[in-house]
Amino acid sequence: MNNTRRGLPLARARIEQIFPKLTPTQIRRITPHGRSRTTKRGEVLSEHGDIAASFFVVVSGELEILRPSGTVETLVTVHRSGQFTGEVGTLSGRRTMFRVRATKPGKVIELDRRHMLTLVQTDAELGEILMRAFILRRAELITAGVGDTVLIGSTYSADTLRIKEFLMRNGHPYSYIDLEHDPDVQNMLDSFRLAANEIPVVICRGQVVLRNPSKQEIADCLGFNESIDQTHVRDLVVIGAGPSGLAAAVYGASEGLDVLVLETGSPGGQAGSSSRIENYLGFPTGISGQELAARAYIQAQKFGAEILITKGTRLVCDVRPYVVEVENGARIPARTIAIATGAEYRKPRCENLSRLEGAGVYYAATFVEAQLCGGDEVIVVGGGNSAGQAAVFLAEAAKRVHMLVRSVGLAKTMSSYLIRRIEETPNIVVQPYTEIMGLQGGDHLESVVWRNNQMELTEEHKIRHVFLMTGADPNTGWLNGCLALDARSFIKTGQDLSPENLSAARWPLARQPFLLETSLPGVFAVGDVRGGSIKRVASAVGEGSIAISLVHKVLQE
Ligand SMILES: Cc1cc2nc3c(=O)[nH]c(=O)nc-3n(C[C@H](O)[C@H](O)[C@H](O)COP(=O)(O)OP(=O)(O)OC[C@H]3O[C@@H](n4cnc5c(N)ncnc54)[C@H](O)[C@@H]3O)c2cc1C
């Protein structure tokens, strides 16, 4: 016998947008997309855990949305005449977290996922109402910590942070229990026979207990990938769901291509870790990288792109269609491919780094960052060209620029004009043999510990701005030697491919590679992973979008 507990703490603000009531005209427009059916009192229309659950519009009667946990059901909301079920998971087809039950005899229109996607893509007005409601509902669930997942962890554990970030980046609601702060935790651990050193623990769907799981294990347990067919040949497989990959997915899917995106687990890529992107067109007050990524992620799904949470481990290029092998062993066939795996900034190993990124720790020295540190002392880490440019630029605004270099001095590869400029700028101080050891601060960086390895001297300095200009490594290790790369292992495309590159790759076509096309026909590289890319969100988005028009050309060849 189920007990129903009433009332989740869902916000009552914006209630008309979260739970809108459709007009009779709007309902009439939905009817041809689905099937009308009657409901009986107590009838369960879809069950917690169902994959690709249907979408229901209530014509008459009532539907309860319940979150079951053991024998207890928590009532999330009740949909009445003119209202509809669903949230973001309904778009992606992932396992639903809720039970939908009729409370009285009535009538509903039922749409399966495919028809619901067609509806949101073809009816602009209804598409907007549904998408807004789905997104706001998911946001409410995340805020209220309502979901099918419990994370037990510790504020001081890096793995807890890793899992929190994974769930957050995938927009998956969860409740969090902190070992340090919650007195009931021990009871919880005892009931699952968990030792404290097995944290973080994820209890997924109230059943499966995962001890310090990998991202892939969580994705598998929550069924992120279950509704996705990994065997049929796709028009386009995009590897990486950063800004460039998501742009390729949105444009590709909206132009009718069958698109699958592979992502290791951090949708949004580097941009997703930026606390505020101020220079992206159309957002005059800035937008957090996470918000931008979340919107793009949902937009891609709205147009029918599917997103598989897994790592591309090997490109197989001696077969047609191409094959991308992934972590779980599946082999995904693709007519065309967009590689959007980005790059990772080389980072010193020190505590608090990820927490202070964007809050005193920067990877770019543009006008925006320079404004933040006007009149202050700053640190630039690195001895190469990008570090030199940053130091000279920042010296105009900063009181003093400390250039921390690990070796005896500036890199031999640094341009001589930059070396001269650094030498001639009195407020740039080169600190040789020096490395960053620690970063301290709350909401913002407050002090930095550095060590001079030659003098074996460790010092703490009250400096609030650090620019890490130690270069970025492209995520190209998995390409299996299939593509021509430049000296720094970024992917060469278009006119950058020399005749030697093309002959080594046995380029088979009479035409030259298109812009953004690699040394393999139909395989494109977009965003930061591409040699010579600009390393900005806008350029990554631009390249992902441009690639689609070229994908169409290749598919017609
Ligand atoms: C802290 C920070 C702040 C920034 N701020 C700004 C800013 O304010 N303005 C601006 O214009 N730019 C900014 N940038 C730069 C900008 O974020 C990047 O230029 C942009 O994100 C590049 O997009 P991308 O899609 O090419 O690659 P990425 O963002 O690097 O995304 C690559 C994606 O591919 C995935 N991936 C990698 N390997 C695999 C694999 N084998 N299989 C599956 N998936 C894989 C990764 O998980 C990742 O999600 C910032 C960067 C950082 C790090």
Side-chain angles (χ1 to χ4, degrees):
M1 172 81 186
N2 276 332
N3 299 315
T4 302
R5 251 188 353 221
R6 301 228 146 223
L8 278 172
L10 297 185
R12 295 289 120 186
R14 297 192 292 185
I15 206 79
E16 281 104 37
Q17 280 145 14
I18 302 177
F19 301 114
K21 193 166 163 25
L22 301 173
T23 64
T25 317
Q26 288 167 336
I27 294 178
R28 266 198 298 280
R29 292 215 303 275
I30 296 177
T31 311
H33 291 272
R35 68 178 184 114
S36 291
R37 55 173 285 196
T38 54
T39 56
K40 290 194 233 114
R41 180 188 162 86
E43 184 183 349
V44 173
L45 303 191
S46 75
E47 187 52 280
H48 161 247
D50 281 356
I51 298 173
S54 289
F55 163 82
F56 298 96
V57 180
V58 185
V59 178
S60 62
E62 250 180 26
L63 298 181
E64 286 180 322
I65 307 300
L66 302 150
R67 181 170 62 106
S69 173
T71 57
V72 177
E73 288 176 331
T74 305
L75 181 69
V76 179
T77 192
V78 179
H79 295 304
R80 301 193 169 82
S81 169
Q83 295 182 312
F84 52 87
T85 63
E87 53 93 45
V88 166
T90 318
L91 283 179
S92 60
R94 289 180 181 172
R95 282 182 188 278
T96 170
M97 292 178 271
F98 304 104
R99 176 176 293 153
V100 178
R101 189 169 61 204
T103 57
K104 48 174 92 160
K107 203 173 135 196
V108 296
I109 308 166
E110 176 174 4
L111 276 69
D112 63 21
R113 175 169 168 260
R114 192 165 60 84
H115 287 95
M116 191 268 303
L117 283 174
T118 309
L119 174 71
V120 295
Q121 288 162 19
T122 52
D123 188 313
E125 187 199 21
L126 284 167
E128 188 183 323
I129 295 170
L130 263 56
M131 291 298 295
R132 188 172 52 214
F134 288 176
I135 293 168
L136 291 174
R137 287 175 191 178
R138 179 56 71 101
E140 286 291 312
L141 295 172
I142 290 173
T143 309
V146 177
D148 53 359
T149 306
V150 180
L151 169 65
I152 304 171
S154 156
T155 321
Y156 306 107
S157 131
D159 283 317
T160 302
L161 191 66
R162 170 178 63 82
I163 294 173
K164 275 185 172 181
E165 190 191 280
F166 174 76
L167 293 168
M168 185 189 69
R169 291 263 201 133
N170 284 280
H172 195 85
Y174 65 97
S175 347
Y176 176 61
I177 300 173
D178 195 297
L179 268 181
E180 263 71 38
H181 300 117
D182 198 317
D184 294 331
V185 160
Q186 201 54 54
N187 297 340
M188 178 103 173
L189 291 185
D190 291 345
S191 67
F192 284 100
R193 299 208 168 107
L194 293 173
N197 62 4
E198 289 176 301
I199 60 118
V201 164
V202 175
I203 301 174
C204 94
R205 292 192 276 121
Q207 299 156 357
V208 184
V209 178
L210 302 173
R211 294 159 170 82
N212 199 3
S214 66
K215 291 176 186 176
Q216 185 74 53
E217 285 172 311
I218 304 173
D220 289 345
C221 184
L222 292 176
F224 281 1
N225 298 336
E226 275 169 328
S227 62
I228 300 177
D229 178 359
Q230 301 177 27
T231 57
H232 81 261
V233 185
R234 306 282 176 160
D235 295 331
L236 173 66
V237 170
V238 181
I239 301 107
S244 62
L246 287 171
V250 167
Y251 279 82
S254 69
E255 292 173 18
L257 300 179
D258 179 1
V259 180
L260 178 68
V261 183
L262 312 179
E263 167 55 52
T264 51
S266 304
Q270 298 166 60
S273 65
S274 169
S275 55
R276 187 149 290 269
I277 297 171
E278 308 253 7
N279 55 356
Y280 190 56
L281 187 74
F283 295 92
T285 55
I287 180 166
S288 80
Q290 188 50 44
E291 200 182 338
L292 186 68
R295 289 178 186 208
Y297 196 51
I298 292 171
Q299 199 175 9
Q301 290 176 334
K302 165 186 156 176
F303 287 119
E306 294 185 295
I307 299 171
L308 194 65
I309 300 298
T310 189
K311 185 172 184 168
T313 50
R314 189 161 164 264
L315 178 61
V316 183
C317 52
D318 53 1
V319 292
R320 297 291 181 282
Y322 298 117
V323 167
V324 182
E325 290 181 356
V326 299
E327 211 163 29
N328 67 4
R331 291 167 58 85
I332 294 166
R335 289 191 187 90
T336 65
I337 291 179
I339 296 167
T341 45
E344 272 168 38
Y345 283 88
R346 290 182 209 132
K347 297 178 179 182
R349 288 176 167 270
C350 58
E351 229 180 307
N352 298 328
L353 176 65
S354 58
R355 191 168 57 75
L356 294 167
E357 280 170 347
V361 176
Y362 312 102
Y363 296 93
T366 69
F367 183 66
V368 176
E369 289 87 14
Q371 275 181 322
L372 300 173
C373 46
D376 291 348
E377 293 199 34
V378 307
I379 293 172
V380 172
V381 182
N385 264 343
S386 59
Q389 279 167 2
V392 169
F393 173 67
L394 292 166
E396 290 171 21
K399 183 173 161 195
R400 183 169 299 125
V401 179
H402 300 270
M403 276 191 88
L404 269 48
V405 289
R406 257 198 314 205
S407 57
V408 58
L410 302 174
K412 289 198 182 73
T413 50
M414 187 186 280
S415 310
S416 51
Y417 86 91
L418 270 177
I419 297 180
R420 227 179 19 253
R421 293 268 290 278
I422 290 168
E423 285 166 356
E424 286 166 4
T425 308
N427 62 337
I428 301 182
V429 187
V430 178
Q431 309 275 4
Y433 302 111
T434 306
E435 281 181 83
I436 288 226
M437 306 301 290
L439 300 164
Q440 317 291 341
D443 292 343
H444 195 281
L445 177 68
E446 280 156 24
S447 69
V448 177
V449 178
W450 76 51
R451 178 182 158 82
N452 182 311
N453 290 323
Q454 194 188 36
M455 293 156 77
E456 298 188 349
L457 194 66
T458 303
E459 295 172 351
E460 181 169 354
H461 293 262
K462 296 263 172 246
I463 295 182
R464 291 169 50 81
H465 313 281
V466 170
F467 293 82
L468 296 173
M469 311 303 292
T470 42
D473 293 318
N475 293 315
T476 48
W478 60 282
L479 291 173
N480 189 25
C482 283
L483 306 180
L485 306 179
D486 69 13
R488 292 162 59 218
S489 296
F490 287 84
I491 302 174
K492 286 180 122 181
T493 55
Q495 291 193 341
D496 289 346
L497 288 159
S498 64
E500 295 75 38
N501 291 144
L502 294 180
S503 92
R506 300 210 180 94
W507 177 259
L509 305 177
R511 67 163 175 83
Q512 292 297 298
F514 291 131
L515 184 80
L516 306 177
E517 196 172 24
T518 67
S519 53
L520 270 183
V523 177
F524 295 85
V526 291
D528 282 14
V529 76
R530 196 179 64 76
S533 64
I534 303 298
K535 316 248 174 335
R536 286 281 182 273
V537 174
S539 53
V541 168
E543 290 186 12
S545 326
I546 294 167
I548 296 307
S549 66
L550 305 166
V551 163
H552 285 298
K553 284 192 186 178
V554 169
L555 290 174
Q556 281 160 15
E557 275 178 346

